[in-house]
Amino acid sequence: VFALPGRQSDLIHNNRKAAKSVATPLVYAGVNRSSKNIVEIDGTGLDVLQGYSKTTISIGSFNSLEKDSFNDLYMPVRDPALDDPECDPELLKQYKRDKASAHSKFRLAEQQSEAPRRVLLKAEEYRHEQFCFSNFLDYRGRIYPLGDLHHQTPDWIRSLIVSAIKLPITHQTE
């Protein structure tokens, strides 16, 4: 039986005429049913994404960051002429602007790659296990998934999740 974390509440459906909320057993049954879906991690898809995570790449919401490849792509190459005391000050300023811009891009890429790293670590942890989705039902009757691996995530995360119950695909003719 599904229980709300932290408190018990029957506020599911607002009935304005009665000025109170009415519990809906159908909602509870739906939450319980969705929590019983047994899933597992697709090892092949996880291997592919882990391969992508070793480079600097951005595919949709999947952003990975590998420092050396990022430096090769974005960091400006320092010209030895900049070390000369008689170097053009404008050239030095332009190099510093380029370096600052690349540093900003690096910080942004670092922040954007944090969620994929976290998801890939969690998927690796569950690679050889079967698990169920955890859901939270708020006082309004809205269902929210918990954690990073669930069915309301971007495509690249959903591609890691496969049903643990394998059924053959058949063609029925009548």
Side-chain angles (χ1 to χ4, degrees), residues 76-80 82-83 92 95:
V77 178
R78 185 171 173 86
D79 186 2
L82 294 174
D83 296 329
L92 186 59
Y95 171 76

Side-chain angles (χ1 to χ4, degrees), residues 90-160:
E90 287 302 316
L91 188 63
L92 186 59
K93 282 182 185 177
Q94 183 60 41
Y95 171 76
K96 287 181 178 180
R97 277 194 289 269
D98 292 345
K99 183 89 172 171
S101 173
H103 182 72
S104 297
K105 285 180 186 175
F106 178 76
R107 288 289 169 221
L108 182 63
E110 195 173 44
Q111 290 171 353
Q112 290 174 341
S113 67
E114 180 58 35
R117 268 197 303 264
R118 185 179 62 245
V119 169
L120 291 176
L121 286 173
K122 186 60 75 177
E124 183 60 42
E125 183 180 328
Y126 289 127
R127 181 189 279 260
H128 301 291
E129 296 182 29
Q130 295 180 348
F131 59 96
C132 298
F133 295 127
S134 297
N135 295 305
F136 170 74
L137 183 65
D138 74 357
Y139 71 95
R140 298 167 294 186
R142 295 181 182 174
I143 301 171
Y144 298 100
L146 298 174
D148 293 322
L149 295 169
H150 54 81
H151 59 283
Q152 292 182 355
T153 54
D155 291 340
W156 68 269
I157 298 176
R158 284 196 309 254
S159 71
L160 294 173

